[in-house]
Structures are given as structure tokens and as C-alpha cells.
Amino acid sequence: MTNFDIPQNAIITIAGTVGVGKSTLTQALADKLNFKTSFENVDHNPYLDKFYSDFQRWSFHLQIYFLAERFKEQKRMFEYGGGFIQDRSIYEDVDIFAKMHEEQGTMTEEDFQTYSDLFNAMVMTPYFPKPDVLIYLECDYDEVIERIKERGREMEINTDPDYWKKLFKRYDDWINQFNACPVVRVNINDYDIHSNPNSLDPIIDKIAHIINTHRAIDQRQ
């Protein structure tokens, strides 16, 4: 056990819209807890640039790529026996991104059904450990846009702001219905990793309490 009383085989997933700071928090928590990290494969993604230039042409390809990469990460976490901080959950891909493109016509109904069938088959395998807790990062829409600009990825900066508004709204709707695992909502203004790393401590204490409480309940059932 760590000083924060978090089981060393726990899986903690960080969710939130693009640009909200998932990767930064993933690394900071992993450093504090001596956990391994599971990051999105963005830099070597062969479809990402193409997707931002043509949603309709590349949305299905991008989502299949992310699904395959995330499943490989799920399998890796299973084989290690946990002890991971995960940057974005597989649930966001199917419930937010893929569904949004299907509903707005930039992914066909047939492609979405194929994608959903593959996702549902994956989650039924033993290589799919659910997170012990999902940290949902909250912020204002304007803060997200500012962070996207600061990150400096041209493909994101040049994207129609209407896309980011729709995505922001979908995330808000999604988390209000999410029930696959316990959720801890954290506002990005409640901590400052760079100037005060210890500002994460109250968040970690809350996560530890939730994980241990739910594990105790599961053992009694």
C-alpha cells in the first residue's frame, strides 16, 4: 500500500474532453503513487491528421484504430495485475466520439454498428478490467479552448469551434449517466500540478476512500 492507502493493483482512469489535462494528471498521479501509466497513442496515430481534415472520410478508421490500441492497453493492464493510471477510458470512444459521428452523419450507421459490435465483443473478454474509479475532469468551455490553443496542435486549432462545443456538451451528458464504475469529479482549478504538487493530495485521499469502500462492499457480497 502507498502512503495514500490505495491498493497497488488498482486501476484509475482519467476522463474528460480534449485538452482538459488528462495526460498531465495521469503522469502526476503515477509519479505520486508509483503506478504505471497507460497513455493514448496520439503521436504515432496514422489517422489523426487525416481525420481532422475530413471527418466523414476518416472517422471510422480513427475510431477502429483507437479501439484496437485501447484494447491492447486493457490487456496489458490485466496481465500486469493492475497498478495503472489510465489516460482516457474506452467508454468515451464508443459513447461519445463514435456516437457523435454517427448522429451527425460523419460515420455511417453500418460503420457505427460494426464498431459497436466489436466494442461489445471486447468488453466480454477476460482482458477487460473495469476501473476501480474514474476521475472526471471538469472545467468551463472557454478554459478547454484556451488549453487547446496553448497545446499548439494545428489540426486541433484549425478545427471548427462548433465541433468542440458539441463534444463538450456530449461529455457533460455522458458523465451524468455513466455508471460502469465509481466516479470522482474534479475541477481543473482545484489543483496546480506545477506550482503545488501537494494540491493533488486531497483528491488522492478521496480516491483511496472510494476504492477501499467499494472493494469492502464487493467482498461482503
Side-chain angles (χ1 to χ4, degrees):
M1 304 288 280
T2 70
N3 292 334
F4 294 100
D5 199 31
I6 290 182
Q8 287 292 281
N9 64 349
I11 295 176
I12 300 168
T13 297
I14 301 176
T17 193
V18 173
V20 77
K22 296 183 296 296
S23 298
T24 303
L25 183 58
T26 294
Q27 189 62 62
L29 288 178
D31 291 342
K32 268 188 166 288
L33 300 174
N34 195 28
F35 272 33
K36 295 174 284 294
T37 56
S38 175
F39 286 107
E40 276 194 307
N41 189 355
V42 173
D43 293 337
H44 299 96
N45 189 320
Y47 298 110
L48 202 55
D49 286 344
K50 297 175 183 177
F51 163 76
Y52 278 109
S53 65
D54 190 343
F55 288 164
Q56 189 162 0
R57 173 69 178 85
W58 297 106
S59 64
F60 178 71
H61 300 75
L62 179 70
Q63 290 307 131
I64 288 293
Y65 175 85
F66 272 132
L67 186 62
E69 290 297 305
R70 224 174 297 284
F71 183 73
K72 286 188 283 187
E73 283 297 290
Q74 292 288 142
K75 185 173 182 291
R76 184 169 73 98
M77 290 189 291
F78 172 82
E79 290 171 344
Y80 268 104
F84 276 86
I85 310 294
Q86 183 184 29
D87 173 16
R88 182 172 281 155
S89 73
I90 198 169
Y91 307 104
E92 293 161 79
D93 285 316
V94 64
D95 293 333
I96 298 176
F97 290 92
K99 187 60 178 175
M100 180 173 73
H101 285 290
E102 189 265 340
E103 289 181 354
Q104 69 184 17
T106 48
M107 182 185 293
T108 68
E109 292 182 13
E110 293 83 0
D111 282 348
F112 179 74
Q113 188 60 54
T114 298
Y115 174 85
S116 298
D117 289 346
L118 183 57
F119 168 82
N120 290 327
M122 286 179 174
V123 299
M124 295 300 290
T125 70
Y127 304 117
F128 200 89
K130 289 185 178 180
D132 287 277
V133 67
L134 182 140
I135 302 173
Y136 181 71
L137 295 184
E138 297 181 309
C139 65
D140 295 330
Y141 171 74
D142 290 339
E143 290 176 307
V144 167
I145 296 303
E146 192 59 37
R147 286 184 172 221
I148 288 174
K149 292 177 180 177
E150 289 176 0
R151 185 155 67 181
R153 292 177 183 165
E154 287 297 319
M155 58 188 174
E156 294 176 347
I157 294 172
N158 295 329
T159 296
D160 187 341
D162 189 53
Y163 175 79
W164 301 125
K165 289 179 182 178
K166 290 178 180 178
L167 188 62
F168 187 87
K169 175 66 166 56
R170 282 183 176 269
Y171 260 98
D172 191 49
D173 294 341
W174 170 76
I175 196 60
N176 288 328
Q177 301 178 23
F178 181 79
N179 59 8
C181 70
V183 174
V184 173
R185 293 174 182 248
V186 176
N187 192 287
I188 62 173
N189 297 307
D190 290 344
Y191 61 89
D192 188 337
I193 293 170
H194 302 293
S195 64
N196 182 18
N198 291 334
S199 62
L200 290 175
D201 292 358
I203 298 170
I204 296 174
D205 286 335
K206 186 174 184 179
I207 294 167
H209 174 72
I210 288 175
I211 292 175
N212 288 312
T213 298
H214 278 265
R215 287 195 174 191
I217 292 172
D218 290 341
Q219 288 176 358
R220 290 197 297 268
Q221 292 178 345

